[in-house]
């Protein structure tokens, strides 16, 4: 009876411990922080418990054959300590694998998981956009500062540009440099078949005239824009009349014989050359893109480049026309 009761108590104790361990593992597995607890770890804990319980049972049976007083029961709490250590190991393992998406505890290499580094394609794209914006801003700012610096340069003497010339206007009348004495002139060299540069520069001069009319009407009365054709072979008087309709009405259009145009262009150091000539004789003309600003005596006062805005040109014109020398 003593043996039977002893075995029954041990079996009951093992069953109770098994239930407690399963309850403990179940509560750990349901925890959000430990959702990746390995099933292998749970099986290991149960196996360890079963082994410990079996060993305790066999020891008790062996010892009871001689006498109940000489049996060696397992140390109190021995199975509990082993199960606690196994559970702690499982908890530690679950923490190391939590958040990896690998509930079975497999390594990233085994599951084919590729970890994402600190540099991504969207980040690289953002860096490229910022770098391009910075470069564009630098170029614009550099050009603006260069123009401002050039405008502050004080020079003495007069450039060897310009001189006497004679051409004809749209009515066939002879026009010379003397015809504009008392006027400040904006002189531009171009040709009627220019696809983009010439129209753009002439529209810019038109905006300059409109702004002078609005803000400096007295100065506007003294300014005269002039267009000189560098392609007299195709820019007839009729062609220039049609061309003039697209631009500011204050323009004076001039042309002449090829020798007259070449002589005038040479005095102003204007570069011009045929380009992209086709089999049917059509061509473009490469030429300098400069607006020459003369004072009321016919001398060069300033030059305006393609990069200058209408507001910049107006500022320069007002500065030149209102300048009072100090002697």
């Amino acid at each position: 009876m003593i043996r039977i009761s002893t075995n029954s108590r041990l079996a009951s104790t093992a069953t109770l411990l098994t239930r407690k361990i399963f309850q403990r593992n179940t509560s750990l597995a349901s925890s959000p922080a430990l959702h990746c607890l390995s099933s292998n770890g749970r099986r290991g804990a149960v196996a360890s418990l079963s082994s410990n319980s079996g060993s305790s049972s066999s020891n008790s049976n062996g010892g009871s054959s001689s006498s109940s007083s000489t049996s060696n029961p397992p140390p109190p709490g021995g199975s509990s300590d082993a199960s606690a250590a196994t559970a702690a190991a499982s908890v530690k393992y679950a923490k190391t694998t939590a958040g990896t998406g690998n509930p079975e505890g497999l390594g990233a290499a085994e599951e084919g998981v590729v970890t994402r580094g600190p540099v991504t394609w969207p980040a690289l794209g953002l860096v490229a956009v910022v770098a391009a914006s910075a470069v564009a801003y630098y170029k614009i700012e550099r050009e603006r500062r260069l123009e401002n610096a050039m405008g502050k340069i004080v020079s003495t003497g007069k450039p060897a540009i310009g001189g006497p010339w004679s051409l004809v206007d749209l009515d066939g009348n002879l026009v010379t440099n003397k015809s504009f004495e008392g006027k400040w002139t904006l002189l531009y060299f171009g040709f009627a078949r220019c696809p983009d540069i010439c129209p753009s520069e002439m529209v810019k001069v038109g905006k300059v005239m409109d702004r002078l009319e609005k803000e400096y009407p007295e100065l506007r009365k003294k300014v005269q824009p002039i267009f000189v054709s560098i392609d007299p072979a195709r820019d007839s008087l009729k062609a220039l009349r049609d061309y003039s309709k697209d631009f500011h009405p204050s323009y004076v259009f001039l042309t002449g014989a090829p020798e007259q145009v070449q002589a005038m262009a040479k005095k102003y150091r204007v570069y011009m050359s045929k380009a992209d000539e086709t089999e049917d004789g059509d061509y473009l003309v490469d030429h300098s893109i400069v607006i020459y600003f003369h004072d009321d005596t016919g001398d060069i006062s300033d030059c305006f480049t393609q990069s200058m805005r209408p507001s910049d040109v107006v500022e320069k014109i007002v500065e030149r026309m209102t300048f009072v020398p100090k002697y």
Side-chain angles (χ1 to χ4, degrees), residues 20-31 37 42:
K20 288 184 177 181
I21 291 174
F22 272 111
Q23 290 176 358
R24 180 181 182 89
N25 290 340
T26 303
S27 62
L28 288 173
S30 62
S31 174
L37 182 61
R42 291 198 296 270

Side-chain angles (χ1 to χ4, degrees), residues 1-4 6-7 9 58-73:
M1 293 297 292
I2 294 175
R3 293 178 182 177
I4 295 173
T6 301
N7 292 335
R9 284 197 300 272
S58 62
N59 289 335
S60 297
N61 292 333
S64 299
S65 62
S66 59
S67 175
S68 62
S69 61
T70 60
S71 63
N72 296 322

Side-chain angles (χ1 to χ4, degrees), residues 97-110:
T97 59
T100 63
N102 186 9
E104 293 301 323
L106 296 177
E110 296 176 2

